[in-house]
Amino acid sequence: MPELPEVETIRRMLNERIRGKRIDRAVCRAVKIFQIDPRVLEKSLPGQKIRRLDRRGKFLIVRLEGHWLIIHLGMTGQLTYRHRSGRTDKARLFHETAPGKRGTILDEHIHFQIRFQDGADLFFRDVRKFGKIYLLDKKVSLQKEFFTQMGLEPFSAEYRLDAFLEKMKNRNLRIKSLLLDQGFVAGIGNIYADEALFEARIHPARRLRYVRKYEKIRLFEVIPEVLEKGITFGGTTLRDYVKSDGEQGAHQHHLNVYGRRGEPCRLCSTPIEKIVLSQRGTHYCPSCQKR
DNA sequence: AACCTTCCCTGATGGC
DNA sequence: TGCCATCAGGGAAGGT
């Protein structure tokens, strides 16, 4: 479950490695994740240079010379980079070693591969295929035409208390559900929602009308802190998430509530509880986070 | 309009 | 040991 800190970790590492590289070839496999005709993708990418990588919420934005390549990792998406030291190794394109054929089966879950002219490879792997890949013409204004429903971007100038409070007006859903809504604050997922609510000492099932203003302010303040901490540790690896070098993150060792059902709260030793909200496992300390 | 539920997808896990 | 049900959840779509 890559959330903002995981996508940002990938963005930073990849930006260093692939910025300026020119694409030699692109190969697509699982049609479902492509939001455009894969043949168009395979035809459009070769020859283009990677200008830079950006991020909006959980979306990774690859800025090319003539297009925007936008990648969402969904639940189990992985984006990894490998440079085959020197050897030209054409046989190792995953497309040429499909399952059932003789020879090395690289990985049936790799759905998209970019090979650069210097021989480096970028792989998109996604077991559950919840990920999505978009290709937009550079003329498209991303903020006005693509990210139209996207909420406040943490760490940006638009992340201000007045806007944060304004987006809560006339709403009365459970606070956890609000945090999962990408139209509120962009980039928060199940793990960091639970962690932020713990830091803000708010029970996840509280409806908005029962959340006091000082609590909302506290939530506004802890969200960037919680996300920043996740980035500092290179993201949270519970199952599938890996950094772009294939290594695990380390933030899972620093979680306060997520995945800690039955374990003692780090503040008060009360066992952490788990309930289901919005069809999502939800973890909290019943003593620190009162209803 | 706001809110909630269902569905997609596959591997890991637990009960019998 | 093998089989089947259940669980994990981001976000679109559908329902109230």
Side-chain angles (χ1 to χ4, degrees):
Chain A
M1 35 199 125
E3 307 177 27
L4 187 152
E6 288 73 36
V7 179
E8 178 62 16
T9 299
I10 289 169
R11 187 196 71 78
R12 290 182 187 182
M13 292 181 74
L14 270 186
N15 198 37
E16 293 296 312
R17 290 175 159 97
I18 69 173
R19 189 209 284 249
K21 288 189 193 292
R22 201 171 286 281
I23 296 171
D24 177 49
R25 197 175 159 183
V27 192
C28 306
R29 183 188 266 165
V31 171
K32 191 182 172 297
I33 66 168
F34 298 103
Q35 307 301 299
I36 43 133
D37 187 338
R39 289 169 297 186
V40 173
L41 195 61
E42 292 181 343
K43 207 175 162 197
S44 302
L45 296 191
Q48 293 204 53
K49 192 189 277 189
I50 309 280
R51 289 258 188 252
R52 62 171 292 166
L53 270 67
D54 294 303
R55 181 189 54 73
R56 178 81 168 95
K58 302 174 191 172
F59 288 85
L60 191 68
I61 304 163
V62 183
R63 195 193 300 188
L64 302 168
E65 290 169 311
H67 293 87
W68 305 106
L69 178 67
I70 300 179
I71 300 173
H72 194 292
L73 297 174
M75 275 288 300
T76 55
Q78 302 172 329
L79 208 54
T80 56
Y81 169 90
R82 240 169 290 156
H83 196 102
R84 296 154 303 111
S85 49
R87 288 182 301 137
T88 45
D89 193 1
K90 285 184 180 150
R92 294 191 72 80
L93 279 170
F94 71 80
H95 218 237
E96 295 166 1
T97 55
K101 288 194 176 173
R102 249 175 62 80
T104 312
I105 296 168
L106 276 187
D107 190 331
E108 63 175 309
H109 298 301
I110 294 176
H111 307 305
F112 181 54
Q113 174 178 7
I114 290 177
R115 173 157 296 180
F116 298 100
Q117 288 185 351
D118 67 355
D121 282 309
L122 185 65
F123 296 98
F124 178 84
R125 181 178 189 271
D126 186 3
V127 170
R128 288 186 217 173
K129 304 190 187 85
F130 282 7
K132 300 234 182 316
I133 294 179
Y134 308 79
L135 186 72
L136 300 170
D137 193 280
K138 196 67 170 282
K139 290 198 292 273
V140 171
S141 164
L142 291 186
Q143 300 306 328
K144 286 180 186 160
E145 297 173 58
F146 189 78
F147 294 119
T148 50
Q149 303 301 315
M150 194 68 66
L152 303 176
E153 183 65 39
F155 311 118
S156 81
E158 70 173 16
Y159 190 79
R160 295 190 316 270
L161 182 61
D162 55 348
F164 186 86
L165 296 175
E166 183 64 33
K167 277 183 169 291
M168 290 176 156
K169 289 257 170 72
N170 303 319
R171 305 195 67 177
N172 193 30
L173 71 175
R174 300 183 193 280
I175 188 84
K176 162 90 182 243
S177 302
L178 178 70
L179 286 183
L180 294 177
D181 178 359
Q182 299 303 295
F184 176 55
V185 174
I188 300 174
N190 205 37
I191 297 173
Y192 295 93
D194 285 3
E195 294 297 312
L197 288 170
F198 174 77
E199 285 304 325
R201 312 281 180 260
I202 303 171
H203 192 291
R206 290 256 295 280
R207 286 194 178 271
L208 220 49
R209 57 173 296 200
Y210 300 114
V211 178
R212 293 181 180 262
K213 187 171 180 185
Y214 73 87
E215 294 175 311
K216 293 174 179 172
I217 295 172
R218 210 158 59 196
L219 186 61
F220 171 79
E221 289 167 348
V222 301
I223 284 172
E225 294 171 9
V226 164
L227 296 173
E228 181 76 54
K229 182 182 161 198
I231 297 170
T232 299
F233 287 106
T236 310
T237 300
L238 293 172
R239 292 177 194 85
D240 303 282
Y241 163 72
V242 289
K243 298 186 282 186
S244 61
D245 59 2
E247 299 293 319
Q248 299 194 340
H251 186 249
Q252 61 277 15
H253 305 302
H254 303 272
L255 294 168
N256 284 314
V257 286
Y258 188 87
R260 297 191 66 240
R261 168 159 60 173
E263 294 177 43
C265 170
R266 300 194 201 282
L267 292 181
C268 73
S269 300
T270 303
I272 300 301
E273 290 186 5
K274 181 181 179 184
I275 56 175
V276 175
L277 289 179
S278 305
Q279 286 69 243
R280 302 289 178 258
T282 299
H283 313 71
Y284 68 101
C285 170
S287 173
C288 295
Q289 298 164 268
K290 298 287 190 197
R291 273 188 104 125

